[in-house]
């Protein structure tokens, strides 16, 4: 199955999920600091129309401060009622906006992580498809795009998924199920308690106290992706997950 097809399905699935929540659930703080469940929905529609232009504008005007760009765009979109947000999420679900030179992998990884941001605080269970988890795992471990504040979080660590057999990196071992690994790799502390290995304390420390990233550091990340992007097969519109 193509990654873009998965992305379309995930957007429509998120719209269905949000439509089924009551006002209290929508106001629940998500795993993304400062954002409610409603805000997550708002964030997911911000790049569906004119997304490439917004990304380039953020790189130029905000020195690639994607956290600030996301906060501003999400705050504006969050003024809409949830039914309007979900209607747009469905209407523009086939959007082909991608992070420059990165393909659809980071876009799918983003919506999967925000799926957890919504469901876990609400206690809503889901068996995440393995092929989608594979995309997120490989993207975060190999060449995370500029929108991810990874820094050196995974440096010197070997990540091992005991349920799927995936592995990446070298050094102190961080071991657990793929779902918990992906959460911890992305900086969500909720995934750490289910992991073991001598690298877990270091990863926990890095998640709790990420180093500051100034303008130069952020722009270097953008330049790195431009000059050393993921392999062409991961950037193709025909890219598929093959766990």
């Amino acid at each position: 199955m193509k990654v873009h097809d998965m992305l379309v399905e995930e957007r429509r699935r998120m719209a269905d999920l949000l439509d089924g929540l009551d006002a209290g659930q929508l106001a629940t703080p998500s795993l993304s600091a400062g954002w409610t469940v409603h805000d997550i929905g708002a964030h997911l529609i911000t790049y569906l129309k004119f997304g490439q232009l917004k990304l380039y504008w953020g790189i130029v005007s905000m020195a690639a401060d994607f956290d600030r760009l996301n906060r501003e765009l999400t705050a504006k979109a969050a003024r809409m009622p949830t039914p309007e947000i979900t209607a747009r999420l469905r209407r523009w679900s086939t959007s082909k906006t991608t992070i420059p030179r990165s393909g659809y992998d980071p876009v799918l990884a983003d919506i999967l992580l925000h799926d957890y941001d919504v469901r876990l605080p609400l206690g809503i269970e889901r068996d995440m498809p393995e092929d989608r988890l594979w995309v997120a795992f490989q993207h975060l471990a190999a060449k995370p795009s500029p929108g991810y504040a990874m820094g050196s979080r995974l440096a010197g660590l070997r990540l091992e998924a005991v349920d799927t057999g995936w592995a990446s990196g070298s050094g102190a071992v961080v071991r657990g199920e793929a779902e918990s690994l992906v959460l911890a790799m992305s900086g969500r502390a909720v995934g750490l308690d289910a992991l073991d290995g001598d690298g877990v304390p270091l990863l926990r420390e890095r998640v709790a106290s990420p180093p500051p990233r100034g303008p130069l550091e952020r722009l270097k990340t953008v330049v790195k992706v431009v000059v050393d992007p993921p392999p062409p097969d991961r950037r193709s519109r025909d890219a598929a997950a093959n766990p």
Side-chain angles (χ1 to χ4, degrees), residues 8-74:
V8 174
E9 284 189 0
E10 290 297 322
R11 286 168 176 157
R12 292 171 179 170
R13 185 189 178 282
M14 178 62 76
D16 291 343
L17 174 60
L18 294 174
D19 276 340
L21 303 179
D22 60 32
Q25 291 172 310
L26 290 167
T28 299
S30 75
L31 294 184
S32 288
W35 283 354
T36 64
V37 167
H38 169 84
D39 293 336
I40 294 292
H43 166 65
L44 292 175
I45 67 169
T46 53
Y47 295 103
L48 299 185
K49 290 283 283 185
F50 310 113
Q52 299 289 153
L53 292 176
K54 293 173 185 175
L55 286 166
Y56 287 124
W57 177 73
I59 291 172
V60 173
S61 67
M62 299 184 181
D65 189 343
F66 291 107
D67 286 342
R68 178 185 166 195
L69 178 62
N70 286 331
R71 287 195 304 270
E72 291 190 3
L73 293 177
T74 298

Side-chain angles (χ1 to χ4, degrees), residues 1-227:
M1 187 175 186
K2 295 179 182 179
V3 174
H4 182 261
D5 293 336
M6 297 178 193
L7 183 55
V8 174
E9 284 189 0
E10 290 297 322
R11 286 168 176 157
R12 292 171 179 170
R13 185 189 178 282
M14 178 62 76
D16 291 343
L17 174 60
L18 294 174
D19 276 340
L21 303 179
D22 60 32
Q25 291 172 310
L26 290 167
T28 299
S30 75
L31 294 184
S32 288
W35 283 354
T36 64
V37 167
H38 169 84
D39 293 336
I40 294 292
H43 166 65
L44 292 175
I45 67 169
T46 53
Y47 295 103
L48 299 185
K49 290 283 283 185
F50 310 113
Q52 299 289 153
L53 292 176
K54 293 173 185 175
L55 286 166
Y56 287 124
W57 177 73
I59 291 172
V60 173
S61 67
M62 299 184 181
D65 189 343
F66 291 107
D67 286 342
R68 178 185 166 195
L69 178 62
N70 286 331
R71 287 195 304 270
E72 291 190 3
L73 293 177
T74 298
K76 182 178 180 180
R79 298 170 191 162
M80 291 184 285
T82 301
E84 185 173 346
I85 288 173
T86 56
R88 294 191 180 196
L89 195 51
R90 289 191 185 90
R91 186 185 317 136
W92 299 332
S93 62
T94 59
S95 169
K96 295 182 178 179
T97 296
T98 63
I99 295 171
R101 301 273 285 170
S102 297
Y104 294 116
D105 285 10
V107 189
L108 180 63
D110 182 68
I111 194 168
L112 290 190
L113 292 169
H114 288 312
D115 177 87
Y116 288 115
D117 290 341
V118 168
R119 288 188 301 103
L120 294 185
L122 296 177
I124 298 174
E125 296 186 357
R126 177 193 182 188
D127 290 328
M128 185 67 74
E130 186 175 309
D131 53 0
R132 294 165 206 211
L133 271 176
W134 181 89
V135 171
F137 178 89
Q138 297 295 332
H139 177 69
L140 295 173
K143 290 183 179 293
S145 61
Y148 293 83
M150 299 291 290
S152 59
R153 183 184 300 148
L154 305 181
L157 298 175
R158 176 167 176 79
L159 308 160
E160 298 179 352
V162 298
D163 52 341
T164 62
W166 307 333
S168 180
S170 60
V173 173
V174 177
R175 181 187 300 110
E177 294 188 355
E179 187 169 77
S180 297
L181 271 177
V182 167
L183 286 167
M185 292 163 70
S186 70
R188 287 154 173 83
V190 68
L192 289 164
D193 290 341
L195 303 176
D196 60 31
D198 55 1
V200 172
L202 179 58
L203 180 56
R204 186 183 297 276
E205 179 182 340
R206 290 173 176 175
V207 168
S209 303
R213 299 173 74 245
L216 185 58
E217 175 95 14
R218 295 193 301 267
L219 290 170
K220 280 182 179 179
T221 304
V222 173
V223 172
K224 182 178 179 181
V225 172
V226 171
V227 300

